[in-house]
């Protein structure tokens, strides 16, 4: 799981969707731990979930609603306006940025 997340968010060579993404530095330590070369030093899924909860709870509503942007790409004004309009409507309706079980 760590390799998939790392490839999508951070690794320019492995990312299958146009390269690494901006703004996910807050996840790097957890993902790096998940990819430890020594399997015994990798966190269990229970630990991953617990650490993710701590990370999630420390992020602002705006950070959680930020668009996913590829490093080196410009986020065009029109696209930004559409994104934030949708997010404001969702906030007004009480729809969480990340659905919770």
């Amino acid at each position: 799981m760590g390799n998939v997340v790392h490839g999508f968010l951070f690794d320019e060579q492995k990312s299958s969707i146009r390269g690494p993404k901006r703004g996910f530095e807050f996840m790097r330590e957890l993902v790096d731990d998940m990819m430890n070369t020594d399997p015994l030093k990798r966190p269990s899924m229970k630990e991953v979930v617990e650490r993710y909860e701590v990370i999630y709870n420390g992020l602002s509503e705006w950070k959680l609603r930020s668009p996913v942007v590829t490093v080196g790409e410009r986020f065009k004004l029109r696209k930004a306006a559409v994104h934030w309009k949708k997010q404001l409507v969702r906030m007004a309706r009480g729809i969480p940025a990340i659905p919770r079980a």
Side-chain angles (χ1 to χ4, degrees):
M1 182 65 130
N3 285 325
V4 172
V5 173
H6 186 274
F8 178 73
L9 297 180
F10 306 117
D11 193 343
E12 197 165 316
Q13 305 302 317
K14 293 182 182 178
S15 182
S16 61
I17 306 176
R18 292 185 272 154
K21 310 302 177 238
R22 259 193 314 188
F24 287 93
E25 294 77 24
F26 61 89
M27 290 289 295
R28 185 175 287 277
E29 184 178 348
L30 175 57
V31 172
D32 286 347
D33 286 350
M34 291 169 67
M35 294 180 49
N36 193 311
T37 54
D38 181 355
L40 298 175
K41 292 183 180 178
R42 293 179 194 151
S44 67
M45 281 310 295
K46 182 180 180 201
E47 292 169 325
V48 169
V49 170
E50 290 170 356
R51 287 176 61 184
Y52 176 77
E53 284 293 323
V54 171
I55 292 168
Y56 173 87
N57 290 329
L59 298 174
S60 71
E61 182 77 10
W62 295 103
K63 180 67 174 176
L64 292 170
R65 292 184 182 277
S66 295
V68 176
V69 179
T70 302
V71 171
E73 275 189 13
R74 292 178 50 173
F75 194 56
K76 296 188 170 107
L77 183 59
R78 183 181 182 289
K79 193 173 181 180
V82 169
H83 170 83
W84 287 110
K85 178 184 173 193
K86 287 180 185 178
Q87 294 307 316
L88 290 171
V89 168
R90 290 176 181 149
M91 288 172 75
R93 290 182 175 172
I95 300 171
I98 298 177
R100 310 293 282 180

